[in-house]
Amino acid sequence: MADKDPTAKVFVFPFDNECYKSLEKLNLDFVQLVSLGEFESPELLRVKKERTKGEYCWTCTPWIIRFCIDRFQLEHCTYVDADLFFFSNPQVLLDEAKNSSVLITEHRYSPEYDQSETAGIYCVQFVLFRNDVDGMRILHWWADRCLEWCYSRFEDGKFGDQKYLDHWVTEFNRVHVLEHLGGGVAPWNVQQYEFVSDNHEIILKEKRSNKQFSVIFYHFHDVKIVENRLRFFSNYYSIHEDIYSSIYNKYSEFLNKNFHQLQSRHIQSETVSLILNDLANSLNNYKAIKSGSLSETYIYITKNGNESLQTMHKFNFPCSAEFQDFSFLVSLNEYSKDGENISGITIVPSRGSSIEFVLQSVSIIGLSLKDEKVECNLDEKYINKFAKGNWQKRKGSSFSFYSANGFLKLPISMKTMIDIKFNGRWRLISQIESAIEISKLSFSKRILKRFGL
């Protein structure tokens, strides 16, 4: 952002000491660091132990804005999500709200991804508050609500810090909803646009109106580091290859440059493969998965029964309509920290494809809770008895998944998991077979419901 707007002053609130020390070492002129020790109030510390790390970050959002305005005597302050990337100067967005006290941005969901009811109409990604009566009234109200309730679930019309914004336009004065389409392009709305050019700036065209616009910022919501590789490609949102080749490629170049800069200054950072190469490889995988010739299987290792404490591993398999045997070994060396014991395995057999998955055995080598080396074999009897999850059809250890959200869990109690081997068979279920089976299940549920079962 500072590259696009040299006048910007950026206030950064690192939520761990390692991040703070790294930024301190960079010593960027345009950055003002604020430590948790300076920022956290007794009220925030009270709720911190009741919420997950993500929920606590959401809780802090309005309090961060409030802190900046109060401590640094700002006339206005704009909160910016860390996963936004600015392709143009955002001043044009702020100018839209020159006669308003608050600026908010809509998700502008594509119809197929509309989550307005549960995640909110507006996205807490780029929110401006002015230090005036109306701006401070809304900011203080929002901060108090987030202190009272801010969780990663939909409950009583609330979700995190975000659903609170739904009624600001009608309940408060001087709230402006951003109109510029270039502010807030994201995986959940990019389907509505066509790529035009990326010479000096990235130009998209809205399909419905044929209106062209410059992309000011893009929300890289689904980019993650997985197994020391940057995962650019969404498992949920359908994004055109032109968008990956332009918007995501420019982001990749920028990250590549910055990772090298961190390494040259001997600042510890995530170790990743060359990003541009990773993007090209990922694009080939993405095409194969989209065409149905390749499937993705994910293995999650859960610790202490806590879904937020888990490690993910990804594997690709060729798809076939005929049953194929599989046997794959995963070397984990998944050593737990003190107080973190491995409590289970979650298998997501296939993202984006309907499959029948027969898990015949799982063999594990690791350390028991008593630090003794153990080899255990989870056979079909164990799998039949203890497997839990979300599947549409099951017979013994044969699980059929007709949606992208299918998974199965197996409880494990170990201190360390070194190697894990999966054995079984699987086949791709055709769209026609999947549709027929889903209709059968729906019919069965209606019959059971009719008889009160």
Side-chain angles (χ1 to χ4, degrees):
M1 183 174 71
D3 183 49
K4 301 302 179 184
D5 182 4
T7 66
K9 181 69 175 178
V10 181
F11 300 91
V12 180
F13 290 68
F15 270 43
D16 63 65
N17 289 330
E18 187 177 320
C19 182
Y20 184 93
K21 290 176 182 176
S22 296
L23 285 166
E24 195 174 39
K25 193 181 289 188
L26 283 173
N27 193 28
L28 301 170
D29 293 338
F30 58 88
V31 168
Q32 172 74 55
L33 288 177
V34 179
S35 69
L36 285 183
E38 296 175 79
F39 162 65
E40 288 180 310
S41 65
E43 294 89 350
L44 286 171
L45 289 171
R46 176 176 55 81
V47 301
K48 185 176 185 177
K49 52 193 172 188
E50 303 168 358
R51 299 176 187 179
T52 66
K53 289 181 180 179
E55 289 168 345
Y56 183 63
C57 287
W58 290 349
T59 301
C60 290
T61 304
W63 292 92
I64 285 172
I65 303 167
R66 186 169 164 176
F67 181 94
C68 288
I69 289 175
D70 292 344
R71 173 66 65 89
F72 303 107
Q73 295 297 297
L74 306 178
E75 293 183 1
H76 61 83
C77 181
T78 305
Y79 168 81
V80 176
D81 262 353
D83 53 356
L84 304 189
F85 184 80
F86 288 84
F87 291 94
S88 297
N89 193 323
Q91 187 60 48
V92 65
L93 309 181
L94 303 180
D95 289 344
E96 254 197 49
K98 60 185 178 183
N99 297 319
S100 302
S101 297
V102 175
L103 171 68
I104 55 179
T105 57
E106 291 179 283
H107 278 104
R108 301 191 187 105
Y109 287 115
S110 297
E112 61 268 35
Y113 301 119
D114 193 350
Q115 303 164 60
S116 301
E117 285 298 316
T118 54
I121 299 168
Y122 304 98
C123 182
V124 179
Q125 58 180 345
F126 186 88
V127 189
L128 166 104
F129 285 89
R130 293 197 189 282
N131 188 2
D132 59 24
V133 174
D134 290 310
M136 290 304 96
R137 180 183 294 119
I138 300 169
L139 179 59
H140 285 217
W141 179 90
W142 188 27
D144 290 342
R145 298 295 79 72
C146 286
L147 202 62
E148 292 169 359
W149 191 99
C150 188
Y151 296 96
S152 182
R153 62 177 183 264
F154 178 70
E155 181 180 301
D156 298 329
K158 303 187 290 287
F159 176 78
D161 58 347
Q162 200 156 259
K163 283 285 284 181
Y164 290 121
L165 279 62
D166 276 9
H167 307 292
W168 285 7
V169 173
T170 54
E171 293 183 0
F172 295 104
N173 297 323
R174 292 167 53 82
V175 178
H176 179 76
V177 179
L178 186 70
E179 296 176 0
H180 196 303
L181 294 177
V185 184
W188 50 77
N189 61 36
V190 73
Q191 301 76 23
Q192 301 168 59
Y193 313 125
E194 288 181 358
F195 172 76
V196 177
S197 67
D198 65 350
N199 293 327
H200 301 294
E201 55 184 357
I202 293 180
I203 304 296
L204 300 182
K205 180 175 71 174
E206 186 182 32
K207 295 176 183 178
R208 184 185 51 160
S209 65
N210 284 329
K211 178 182 177 181
Q212 292 190 11
F213 60 91
S214 172
V215 176
I216 308 300
F217 70 81
Y218 189 92
H219 196 150
F220 287 92
H221 163 72
D222 216 16
V223 174
K224 294 178 174 64
I225 294 178
V226 180
E227 289 188 305
N228 296 334
R229 294 174 66 85
L230 270 161
R231 191 193 74 192
F232 287 93
F233 295 90
S234 174
N235 293 312
Y236 181 68
Y237 300 104
S238 177
I239 299 173
H240 196 276
E241 188 178 325
D242 285 345
I243 300 298
Y244 281 122
S245 299
S246 56
I247 290 176
Y248 282 75
N249 191 57
K250 285 186 181 295
Y251 187 52
S252 170
E253 289 176 344
F254 177 83
L255 291 177
N256 207 24
K257 174 184 172 184
N258 279 274
F259 273 114
H260 283 305
Q261 183 183 8
L262 291 174
Q263 290 167 0
S264 68
R265 297 199 185 188
H266 306 289
I267 294 174
Q268 186 176 352
S269 67
E270 298 280 1
T271 303
V272 297
S273 60
L274 284 175
I275 297 172
L276 290 175
N277 291 340
D278 183 59
L279 182 61
N281 293 335
S282 296
L283 182 55
N284 290 331
N285 271 6
Y286 175 77
K287 291 176 182 176
I289 292 164
K290 198 171 181 181
S291 68
S293 61
L294 196 67
S295 184
E296 288 186 330
T297 295
Y298 290 81
I299 309 296
Y300 294 86
I301 310 300
T302 308
K303 299 172 184 176
N304 290 358
N306 187 344
E307 295 297 331
S308 65
L309 288 175
Q310 57 184 3
T311 307
M312 186 178 79
H313 304 269
K314 183 182 75 171
F315 305 91
N316 293 112
F317 294 100
C319 292
S320 171
E322 302 295 327
F323 264 116
Q324 291 187 338
D325 293 333
F326 67 80
S327 179
F328 62 96
L329 177 69
V330 187
S331 293
L332 297 170
N333 292 318
E334 195 66 41
Y335 288 89
S336 300
K337 299 176 184 176
D338 290 341
E340 288 184 7
N341 293 317
I342 292 169
S343 56
I345 307 167
T346 300
I347 306 169
V348 182
S350 180
R351 290 276 179 91
S353 302
S354 299
I355 70 161
E356 185 175 352
F357 186 84
V358 183
L359 187 58
Q360 296 169 332
S361 68
V362 180
S363 304
I364 303 171
I365 299 174
L367 296 181
S368 70
L369 299 181
K370 296 180 179 180
D371 275 337
E372 298 171 343
K373 187 172 182 179
V374 292
E375 296 184 21
C376 58
N377 184 62
L378 312 183
D379 57 14
E380 286 191 75
K381 186 177 179 181
Y382 181 94
I383 294 166
N384 292 344
K385 184 175 180 180
F386 293 105
K388 294 182 179 180
N390 177 32
W391 51 77
Q392 282 66 51
K393 189 178 176 181
R394 176 184 178 180
K395 185 177 180 181
S397 61
S398 175
F399 305 87
S400 295
F401 302 91
Y402 304 129
S403 73
N405 299 316
F407 65 91
L408 63 92
K409 294 181 178 180
L410 293 171
I412 303 290
S413 185
M414 302 182 77
K415 185 173 184 180
T416 300
M417 196 175 289
I418 300 172
D419 289 326
I420 180 168
K421 187 176 182 180
F422 298 89
N423 296 291
R425 310 170 68 215
W426 78 337
R427 70 177 181 93
L428 183 70
I429 298 174
S430 69
Q431 291 183 344
I432 294 174
E433 181 185 351
S434 178
I436 292 171
E437 292 296 333
I438 290 172
S439 65
K440 285 180 183 177
L441 290 171
S442 300
F443 179 73
S444 299
K445 286 180 181 178
R446 289 197 300 270
I447 295 296
L448 291 172
K449 188 175 180 180
R450 184 175 179 182
F451 287 99
L453 299 173

